[in-house]
Every structure is written in C-alpha cells, then in structure tokens.
Amino acid sequence: MTVTLQDVSMITALPIEGKPLCMSTDSEGWRQQMEALIGMSPQEPEVEDGGKKDRVPTGATFTWIAANFAHCPEDADDEVIQRYARVYMWYVISRTIFADGTGKNAPWMWLKALTVFDNKFSWGSAALAYLYRQLDDACRRTTKDGGVGGCMLLLSVWSWERLPVGRPKSSQWNTWNDHGNPVRQPTWAYKWDLVLEVASEVNLLYKQYTNEMDSLTPEQVEWEPYGVGTNFGDAHTFELNPLCVQERHLWLMRCPLICNWAVEFHLPHRVLRQFGYFQPHPPEWVDTDTQLHRLDRRRQRKIKDWRKHHKSYVLMFEQSVQATSSIQLTQYRQHCALAFSNYLRWFQESTRVEICPPAYEEDILEEPTEYDELAQGGYSKLIREGYQTSFAPVLNFVVSVLPYVNYEF
C-alpha cells in the first residue's frame, strides 16, 4: 500500500497537471530578490569582531513571518494585498506541503516558486515526490536528529481512512461556508477536521502501533475509502470540492514525480487493489535509479538548475500527462479475492512485511528437534523473564513452531 495521486487529489485537491516543480534553487542575492517580492527580508545576523559567521538558512523563520505579516492593513492597495497573499501562501506551503523536520524556517525557494501566482506548477505531484523522499530519508536515518517532513495532513488522512492503527475518533463537524463558490468547498480531509486527541505516553503508543501494524490482515484494511462506482466521492455529510475528482484520469498514470532535487516514481500498478482492480503478481519491476536517491539539496550545492539536471524526467512527466489525457482509459480487470490471496502469498515470501524484526532465529524453525536448546533461545528467554515482546513476531513464532510440537502427554 502507498499514498498515490488519487489520495493527493481527494485529500488536498492540489493540481496534478502542469509543469513539474523543477527550477533553479540558486540562492545568490536571495535577500534582494525577497525584498523585491514582499518588500523586506530578515536582517543578516551581526558578527562580532573575530567571531565566526554562522551559516544562515536562505529564507525566514515562521516567527519572523508572523511578526511582520500577520495582519494586512485595511487600507492596503492591490500591490500590498498581493504581497501579503504571496507571504501567506509561502507560509502555508512551507508548513504543510513542504514541511521539513525542524518546523522552524520557510525556505526561500518556495517563495521563489510563487514569483508568478499563476505559474501552472503541478503542485500535487511535487507534494507526493517530496513526501516520498522525506519518508525514504526518515526510514534510512541512523540518528534521532530531526523528524519526518512532507505533507503530514496527506499521510495522516490516508492512514486514518485505510488503516485502523492509530486512527483517532472523529468528532462533530463545524458548518462549512463556501461563500457560494463550489471550488471553496472542503476536500475529503474535512471528515477529520475535529478529532479526539489521544493522550498517552509516546513510547508506549509507538510499540502499540508497530505491533498492530505488523498484525494487520487484509480484511482490516479499507481498500477503497472514497467510495465505489456511482457512490465514489460521496462524503455523506458535506459536499466535496469538485477539484478533488477533476483529474481522476491521471490517478493511474505511471510517471516520475518531481520536486526540484527529489525525483520519485509513481507506480500505481503495484497497488491496484487500492483502486478496486485486479492485482497481478509479481508486479513489473522498475529500476527507480539509486543514483536519484543520493541527490540532496544540501550535499549537491553545486547543482543550481534542477530543471536542466532532471531534463529527461521533466520530459517524461510531461509526456505521461499528455498521453494519459489524450487516450482512452485502460480497461483493468476487477478485483478478485482468490487472485489477491495468491498475490499476498507471493508478496509475503518475497518482501519484508513486518516493522519489528523477529524475536527468534529463523534457522531454529527448520529442524527444531532439540526443545531444551530451543527453550534457551532469545525469544523464549524474554518470555520466561517477563519482558514484553512484539506481538506479531510472537504470532509468527507460535504458528511456525506448532507443527513440530509433540502433543502426547
């Protein structure tokens, strides 16, 4: 399972069609450019004589933005209103769509992307590319410094709609006023506008969630939360924003997703069950190029023009959108429960499907005839001493050992 362009549309209503968000991130003279766009820039920190000048992030802190642009003057002219609108958009996308792990600064490059309001960027594909890369970095991180970034609204609602793990209880809805404009109606995320907070110790919740995640069965998953057939997009309690379903013809598009330095591939054919279609196995393998995952804005400072650097992927994205928009939709086979069970059997044999590693050695299950020796294993030792172990590995251990147990008493 994964977040797809369908989820991006339904939860955020961000546009998919358009130019890839791939531009020059050259920050030379960024203060002057910022002043030209919004009328001011953060002051450069003063350095005492003999002191070492610290590297200052290219952008502004959220506190600086709030202090200087919290309220637009009532007598503001069009130029000032546009300036405040640009800063507001910069603030929002930096804190939601392209949030980093620190949560402190709004990078200059996102304001630069808003130089022209109607720039026709594919914000939806950029948001998904950025989220994929942030999750990838978080999974491979070896230190505890920093947190996961990306659009957590998108990830959270995707998870709550499909998985029972960590799902909060939804509360009442506030009345939504669209001011008579359909495109100002809420997205699918409005279902979770008000939820009851979970109050518990973080470490305990983490262990509980990993146990529940490892123990999930296909029957517990809500594969098509947005509805089926003619009921698709029916939120029942409110009218859905029409922009959420406007680009549904692009949801199964196989293409690169681009957000400046980050290029990730959208491969919906690997999760066709999420669309109600037959899931073949094994899915066609596609090399997403490990070299792409080594690209990082901080490590590759010499690369400034990402559109030029990713020229082939930019062209591939544009051709994918054009081809998908101009041809008839592919006729997919409908979901088949028996075929999906066969697919899951292959998947479990070919993929790591658990978050927590097993609490026992795999080779003991091949010929576990020496039960006294088996009882001295790490898993059995933990159980005897009363230490808690992960639930899913316990189930796997018991299921694997049962066939070898002698029930003669």
Side-chain angles (χ1 to χ4, degrees), residues 65-74 76 80 84:
I65 295 176
N68 291 278
F69 294 93
H71 302 285
C72 182
E74 294 184 2
V80 173
Y84 273 78

Side-chain angles (χ1 to χ4, degrees), residues 127-178:
L128 190 55
Y130 189 83
L131 176 61
Y132 279 174
R133 181 57 57 87
Q134 286 289 319
L135 292 174
D136 179 68
D137 291 343
C139 290
R140 295 186 294 112
R141 189 176 295 137
T142 56
T143 65
K144 295 183 179 179
D145 298 335
V148 64
C151 187
M152 290 297 102
L153 170 70
L154 172 60
L155 184 64
S156 297
V157 175
W158 173 86
S159 175
W160 295 342
E161 284 289 339
R162 298 177 184 273
L163 308 176
V165 180
R167 177 187 291 162
K169 292 184 178 179
S170 59
S171 185
Q172 63 182 9
W173 282 281
N174 289 325
T175 302
W176 183 277
N177 185 3
D178 61 13

Side-chain angles (χ1 to χ4, degrees), residues 206-207 210-211 214 352-359 390-393 396:
Y206 176 78
K207 193 155 191 174
T210 54
N211 278 330
D214 282 343
R352 176 183 171 181
V353 295
E354 295 174 0
I355 300 174
C356 299
S390 297
F391 183 62
N396 291 340

Side-chain angles (χ1 to χ4, degrees), residues 176-186 239:
W176 183 277
N177 185 3
D178 61 13
H179 299 279
N181 187 350
V183 298
R184 296 183 65 175
Q185 290 174 344
E239 289 293 326

Side-chain angles (χ1 to χ4, degrees), residues 246-266:
Q246 182 172 283
E247 296 181 305
R248 61 189 308 170
H249 61 287
L250 300 176
W251 292 347
L252 288 168
M253 176 175 61
R254 294 165 60 175
C255 64
L257 306 168
I258 308 171
C259 181
N260 288 331
W261 66 92
V263 176
E264 301 283 344
F265 278 83
H266 185 245

Side-chain angles (χ1 to χ4, degrees), residues 302-318:
K302 294 182 179 180
I303 302 177
K304 305 295 184 182
D305 191 346
W306 291 104
R307 185 173 183 85
K308 180 179 180 181
H309 188 79
H310 290 319
K311 181 179 179 181
S312 60
Y313 297 107
V314 170
L315 180 61
M316 192 184 305
F317 175 83
E318 293 173 342

Side-chain angles (χ1 to χ4, degrees), residues 259-314:
C259 181
N260 288 331
W261 66 92
V263 176
E264 301 283 344
F265 278 83
H266 185 245
L267 305 173
H269 66 294
R270 293 182 175 179
V271 290
L272 286 177
R273 176 71 195 275
Q274 291 183 206
F275 298 88
Y277 295 132
F278 171 83
Q279 180 64 62
H281 72 282
E284 179 184 346
W285 179 77
V286 177
D287 184 4
T288 56
D289 194 349
T290 55
Q291 294 296 327
L292 286 175
H293 288 78
R294 296 177 183 174
L295 290 177
D296 183 271
R297 182 171 58 97
R298 296 176 180 175
R299 291 194 291 266
Q300 280 78 28
R301 298 186 188 279
K302 294 182 179 180
I303 302 177
K304 305 295 184 182
D305 191 346
W306 291 104
R307 185 173 183 85
K308 180 179 180 181
H309 188 79
H310 290 319
K311 181 179 179 181
S312 60
Y313 297 107
V314 170

